[in-house]
Amino acid sequence: MHLTSIDSLSDDQIERVLSEGLRWFDYNRQRRRNDHRLDGLTVINAFFENSTRTLLSFEIAANRLGAQVVTMQVEHSSIKKGETLDDTARTLNAMRPDALVIRHGTGGTPSEVAALMDCPVINAGDGTGEHPTQALLDAATLRRHFGRIEGLKVAICGDIRHSRVARSNRKLLERLGAEVRLAGPPSLLPEDADATDIDSAVAGADAVMMLRIQRERLADDLGDLPGEFLENYGLTAARFASAAPQAVIMHPGPINRGVEIEGALADDPERSLITRQVEMGVAVRMAVLDLLTADRRD
Ligand code: CP
C-alpha cells in the first residue's frame, strides 16, 4: 500500500490514522516511550525540496518507533551527476527499504516512484499536487481541539492554486463532513475552485487556515507592495474578529509574517494551533508509518 494522495486511503484507514495519531500525541508527551514496533525496519527519506517540519517529523516518527532512518542527501547524491529519478528509485529499491518518504517539486512523482518500488511510498508533498500527511495532521489537530470535524466550517485562505496542502485538506475535510470555504486573490485560485472572498470565508468560520504565497512557483511576481497582500487577502485581527467566537487559527508553515497573517495572530496562545499542528505531525506520521508497514511485521 502507498500513500500518494488522500484518495489512497479508505474511510476506515483515515479513521485509524486519526484515532491512532491522537493516541501517539499523548504517548509522545510521556517521559518514557518504549514502543519500538518498527524495530528492524529501514525508512528512507528522499526530499528533493526543502523542508523543516515534514522531514524532521518523519525522521522523529520513524526513530521513535524503533526503525532505522536514513535521509538521502539529495544535494550530494548521484542525481547531481545526471542519474535519472527512475534509476535513483531502482537504486534505493535494491537496498530493500521498508518505506520510502519522498518530497519532489514535480506533481505525480511519488506515484511514478511507487511503481518502481517494492515497499510503501509516502508522498511528503509533490509540487502543487498533494500533501496527504499534512491534511491528516490538520484533521487530527481539529478533532483534538473540537472533539469532532463533522459540521465545522473551515476557511482555507491564500495561495490555493499552488497549495498541495489546500488540495489534500479539501478532499479530507469534506470527506469527514466539514464545510470547506476557499478564498484568495483571483490569480491564486484554481479554475475549478468554488471560491469566495476572504471576508465571507472567515465570517463565522470555526477554523481559519492561512497559506503561504508560494512565490517559488509563480511565473510572475504578484507585484504587491509591502502590506498590500495582508490588507487585501491576509488574516488581520479585524478580519478574524468576524470568525466564530471560539475560532482557531491554523497554518501548515512556513509562515510569512505580515504577508498572509499578522504575526501576533500566529502567536496567539489561545487561538493559534500552529505549534500544535507541528506536534501532531510527529504523532500522525507515527500512525501512518505503523499502518503502511503493518504487513512487513507480521
Ligand atoms: N508544512 C510543511 O510541509 O512544512 P515543511 O515544508 O517545513 O515540511
Side-chain angles (χ1 to χ4, degrees), residues 47 50-55 103 124 131 134 137 164-165 212 251-254 285:
F47 278 56
N50 293 350
S51 171
T52 298
R53 281 150 283 267
T54 313
L55 174 58
R103 169 172 286 192
H131 195 349
Q134 178 71 44
L137 77 87
R164 53 200 180 203
V165 174
R212 179 177 72 88
H251 194 308
R285 288 170 178 130

mmCIF file of all heavy atoms in Angstrom, residues 47 50-55 103 124 131 134 137 164-165 212 251-254 285, ligand 1:
data_model
loop_
_atom_site.group_PDB
_atom_site.id
_atom_site.type_symbol
_atom_site.label_atom_id
_atom_site.label_comp_id
_atom_site.label_asym_id
_atom_site.label_seq_id
_atom_site.Cartn_x
_atom_site.Cartn_y
_atom_site.Cartn_z
ATOM 1 N N PHE A 47 14.145 13.859 0.095
ATOM 2 C CA PHE A 47 13.475 15.160 -0.058
ATOM 3 C C PHE A 47 14.213 15.982 -1.114
ATOM 4 O O PHE A 47 15.342 16.429 -0.889
ATOM 5 C CB PHE A 47 13.434 15.905 1.281
ATOM 6 C CG PHE A 47 12.307 15.452 2.180
ATOM 7 C CD1 PHE A 47 12.171 14.121 2.544
ATOM 8 C CD2 PHE A 47 11.367 16.357 2.646
ATOM 9 C CE1 PHE A 47 11.124 13.691 3.347
ATOM 10 C CE2 PHE A 47 10.314 15.948 3.451
ATOM 11 C CZ PHE A 47 10.201 14.612 3.805
ATOM 12 N N ASN A 50 12.999 21.633 -0.150
ATOM 13 C CA ASN A 50 13.320 21.945 1.238
ATOM 14 C C ASN A 50 12.180 21.599 2.180
ATOM 15 O O ASN A 50 11.007 21.605 1.792
ATOM 16 C CB ASN A 50 13.636 23.439 1.381
ATOM 17 C CG ASN A 50 14.919 23.807 0.671
ATOM 18 O OD1 ASN A 50 15.673 22.932 0.236
ATOM 19 N ND2 ASN A 50 15.162 25.094 0.543
ATOM 20 N N SER A 51 12.533 21.328 3.412
ATOM 21 C CA SER A 51 11.529 21.010 4.427
ATOM 22 C C SER A 51 12.164 21.137 5.798
ATOM 23 O O SER A 51 13.333 20.781 5.986
ATOM 24 C CB SER A 51 11.020 19.581 4.235
ATOM 25 O OG SER A 51 10.204 19.194 5.327
ATOM 26 N N THR A 52 11.399 21.628 6.739
ATOM 27 C CA THR A 52 11.785 21.552 8.158
ATOM 28 C C THR A 52 10.834 20.600 8.876
ATOM 29 O O THR A 52 11.232 19.572 9.423
ATOM 30 C CB THR A 52 11.730 22.953 8.814
ATOM 31 O OG1 THR A 52 12.670 23.790 8.159
ATOM 32 C CG2 THR A 52 12.071 22.883 10.297
ATOM 33 N N ARG A 53 9.533 20.940 8.853
ATOM 34 C CA ARG A 53 8.536 20.178 9.622
ATOM 35 C C ARG A 53 8.382 18.737 9.144
ATOM 36 O O ARG A 53 8.442 17.780 9.922
ATOM 37 C CB ARG A 53 7.162 20.873 9.522
ATOM 38 C CG ARG A 53 7.006 22.047 10.415
ATOM 39 C CD ARG A 53 6.051 23.064 9.795
ATOM 40 N NE ARG A 53 6.769 23.764 8.764
ATOM 41 C CZ ARG A 53 7.418 24.915 8.966
ATOM 42 N NH1 ARG A 53 7.327 25.504 10.123
ATOM 43 N NH2 ARG A 53 8.118 25.485 8.002
ATOM 44 N N THR A 54 8.172 18.571 7.839
ATOM 45 C CA THR A 54 7.820 17.238 7.341
ATOM 46 C C THR A 54 9.006 16.287 7.450
ATOM 47 O O THR A 54 8.854 15.151 7.915
ATOM 48 C CB THR A 54 7.332 17.340 5.881
ATOM 49 O OG1 THR A 54 6.385 18.412 5.802
ATOM 50 C CG2 THR A 54 6.682 16.053 5.434
ATOM 51 N N LEU A 55 10.172 16.747 7.031
ATOM 52 C CA LEU A 55 11.342 15.870 7.085
ATOM 53 C C LEU A 55 11.670 15.471 8.523
ATOM 54 O O LEU A 55 11.809 14.288 8.841
ATOM 55 C CB LEU A 55 12.546 16.562 6.438
ATOM 56 C CG LEU A 55 13.871 15.807 6.544
ATOM 57 C CD1 LEU A 55 13.778 14.421 5.928
ATOM 58 C CD2 LEU A 55 15.007 16.596 5.901
ATOM 59 N N ARG A 103 9.577 13.725 -1.098
ATOM 60 C CA ARG A 103 9.050 15.047 -1.478
ATOM 61 C C ARG A 103 9.735 15.430 -2.770
ATOM 62 O O ARG A 103 10.951 15.273 -2.916
ATOM 63 C CB ARG A 103 9.340 16.079 -0.393
ATOM 64 C CG ARG A 103 9.055 17.509 -0.848
ATOM 65 C CD ARG A 103 9.144 18.508 0.269
ATOM 66 N NE ARG A 103 8.004 18.413 1.164
ATOM 67 C CZ ARG A 103 7.720 19.315 2.099
ATOM 68 N NH1 ARG A 103 8.494 20.379 2.261
ATOM 69 N NH2 ARG A 103 6.676 19.163 2.892
ATOM 70 N N ALA A 124 5.359 13.064 0.645
ATOM 71 C CA ALA A 124 5.586 14.135 1.634
ATOM 72 C C ALA A 124 5.440 15.510 0.979
ATOM 73 O O ALA A 124 5.953 16.505 1.494
ATOM 74 C CB ALA A 124 6.968 13.974 2.242
ATOM 75 N N HIS A 131 -0.368 16.779 -0.363
ATOM 76 C CA HIS A 131 0.461 16.654 0.841
ATOM 77 C C HIS A 131 -0.423 15.923 1.861
ATOM 78 O O HIS A 131 -0.892 16.511 2.842
ATOM 79 C CB HIS A 131 0.869 18.040 1.327
ATOM 80 C CG HIS A 131 1.983 18.071 2.329
ATOM 81 N ND1 HIS A 131 2.468 16.935 2.969
ATOM 82 C CD2 HIS A 131 2.707 19.131 2.813
ATOM 83 C CE1 HIS A 131 3.439 17.295 3.801
ATOM 84 N NE2 HIS A 131 3.604 18.614 3.721
ATOM 85 N N GLN A 134 0.049 16.103 5.720
ATOM 86 C CA GLN A 134 -0.272 17.414 6.304
ATOM 87 C C GLN A 134 -1.774 17.502 6.562
ATOM 88 O O GLN A 134 -2.213 17.960 7.621
ATOM 89 C CB GLN A 134 0.171 18.536 5.359
ATOM 90 C CG GLN A 134 -0.161 19.932 5.874
ATOM 91 C CD GLN A 134 0.676 20.365 7.068
ATOM 92 O OE1 GLN A 134 1.880 20.163 7.077
ATOM 93 N NE2 GLN A 134 0.048 20.955 8.083
ATOM 94 N N LEU A 137 -2.679 15.413 9.605
ATOM 95 C CA LEU A 137 -2.314 16.026 10.886
ATOM 96 C C LEU A 137 -3.194 17.237 11.173
ATOM 97 O O LEU A 137 -3.512 17.522 12.342
ATOM 98 C CB LEU A 137 -0.816 16.350 10.919
ATOM 99 C CG LEU A 137 -0.296 17.582 10.172
ATOM 100 C CD1 LEU A 137 -0.357 18.833 11.017
ATOM 101 C CD2 LEU A 137 1.144 17.347 9.752
ATOM 102 N N ARG A 164 -0.533 22.303 -2.335
ATOM 103 C CA ARG A 164 -0.838 20.878 -2.174
ATOM 104 C C ARG A 164 -1.540 20.637 -0.840
ATOM 105 O O ARG A 164 -2.311 19.705 -0.689
ATOM 106 C CB ARG A 164 0.448 20.071 -2.283
ATOM 107 C CG ARG A 164 1.564 20.524 -1.372
ATOM 108 C CD ARG A 164 2.909 20.033 -1.861
ATOM 109 N NE ARG A 164 4.041 20.435 -1.043
ATOM 110 C CZ ARG A 164 5.287 20.509 -1.480
ATOM 111 N NH1 ARG A 164 5.563 20.229 -2.737
ATOM 112 N NH2 ARG A 164 6.278 20.848 -0.687
ATOM 113 N N VAL A 165 -1.259 21.524 0.134
ATOM 114 C CA VAL A 165 -1.927 21.407 1.441
ATOM 115 C C VAL A 165 -3.425 21.661 1.273
ATOM 116 O O VAL A 165 -4.263 20.915 1.806
ATOM 117 C CB VAL A 165 -1.321 22.417 2.445
ATOM 118 C CG1 VAL A 165 -2.092 22.403 3.753
ATOM 119 C CG2 VAL A 165 0.149 22.112 2.686
ATOM 120 N N ARG A 212 0.758 30.146 2.809
ATOM 121 C CA ARG A 212 1.854 30.977 2.301
ATOM 122 C C ARG A 212 1.694 31.196 0.796
ATOM 123 O O ARG A 212 1.249 30.285 0.084
ATOM 124 C CB ARG A 212 3.151 30.212 2.582
ATOM 125 C CG ARG A 212 4.436 30.820 2.146
ATOM 126 C CD ARG A 212 5.606 29.927 2.594
ATOM 127 N NE ARG A 212 5.696 28.687 1.836
ATOM 128 C CZ ARG A 212 6.361 28.543 0.702
ATOM 129 N NH1 ARG A 212 6.997 29.578 0.185
ATOM 130 N NH2 ARG A 212 6.406 27.382 0.084
ATOM 131 N N HIS A 251 -2.050 27.090 10.301
ATOM 132 C CA HIS A 251 -1.148 27.399 9.180
ATOM 133 C C HIS A 251 -0.198 26.205 9.071
ATOM 134 O O HIS A 251 0.376 25.789 10.081
ATOM 135 C CB HIS A 251 -0.373 28.685 9.477
ATOM 136 C CG HIS A 251 0.320 29.291 8.287
ATOM 137 N ND1 HIS A 251 1.180 28.564 7.466
ATOM 138 C CD2 HIS A 251 0.284 30.543 7.770
ATOM 139 C CE1 HIS A 251 1.628 29.354 6.511
ATOM 140 N NE2 HIS A 251 1.117 30.557 6.653
ATOM 141 N N PRO A 252 -0.010 25.644 7.883
ATOM 142 C CA PRO A 252 0.901 24.495 7.787
ATOM 143 C C PRO A 252 2.359 24.874 7.958
ATOM 144 O O PRO A 252 3.200 24.004 8.216
ATOM 145 C CB PRO A 252 0.641 23.963 6.365
ATOM 146 C CG PRO A 252 0.160 25.160 5.605
ATOM 147 C CD PRO A 252 -0.620 25.980 6.598
ATOM 148 N N GLY A 253 2.666 26.173 7.821
ATOM 149 C CA GLY A 253 4.046 26.626 7.854
ATOM 150 C C GLY A 253 4.750 26.276 6.534
ATOM 151 O O GLY A 253 4.289 25.392 5.815
ATOM 152 N N PRO A 254 5.850 26.954 6.235
ATOM 153 C CA PRO A 254 6.393 28.085 6.971
ATOM 154 C C PRO A 254 5.537 29.344 6.804
ATOM 155 O O PRO A 254 4.889 29.503 5.772
ATOM 156 C CB PRO A 254 7.788 28.271 6.358
ATOM 157 C CG PRO A 254 7.692 27.675 4.995
ATOM 158 C CD PRO A 254 6.689 26.583 5.075
ATOM 159 N N ARG A 285 2.367 10.986 11.750
ATOM 160 C CA ARG A 285 3.324 10.254 10.887
ATOM 161 C C ARG A 285 3.734 8.934 11.544
ATOM 162 O O ARG A 285 4.037 7.980 10.834
ATOM 163 C CB ARG A 285 4.498 11.173 10.530
ATOM 164 C CG ARG A 285 4.008 12.217 9.531
ATOM 165 C CD ARG A 285 4.908 13.346 9.228
ATOM 166 N NE ARG A 285 4.268 14.200 8.226
ATOM 167 C CZ ARG A 285 4.130 15.520 8.310
ATOM 168 N NH1 ARG A 285 4.616 16.184 9.347
ATOM 169 N NH2 ARG A 285 3.511 16.199 7.347
HETATM 170 N N1 CP B 1 4.069 22.103 6.260
HETATM 171 C C1 CP B 1 5.212 21.716 5.637
HETATM 172 O O1 CP B 1 5.189 20.888 4.704
HETATM 173 O O2 CP B 1 6.334 22.315 6.118
HETATM 174 P P1 CP B 1 7.816 21.993 5.629
HETATM 175 O O3 CP B 1 7.941 22.499 4.225
HETATM 176 O O4 CP B 1 8.706 22.690 6.608
HETATM 177 O O5 CP B 1 7.976 20.487 5.668
#
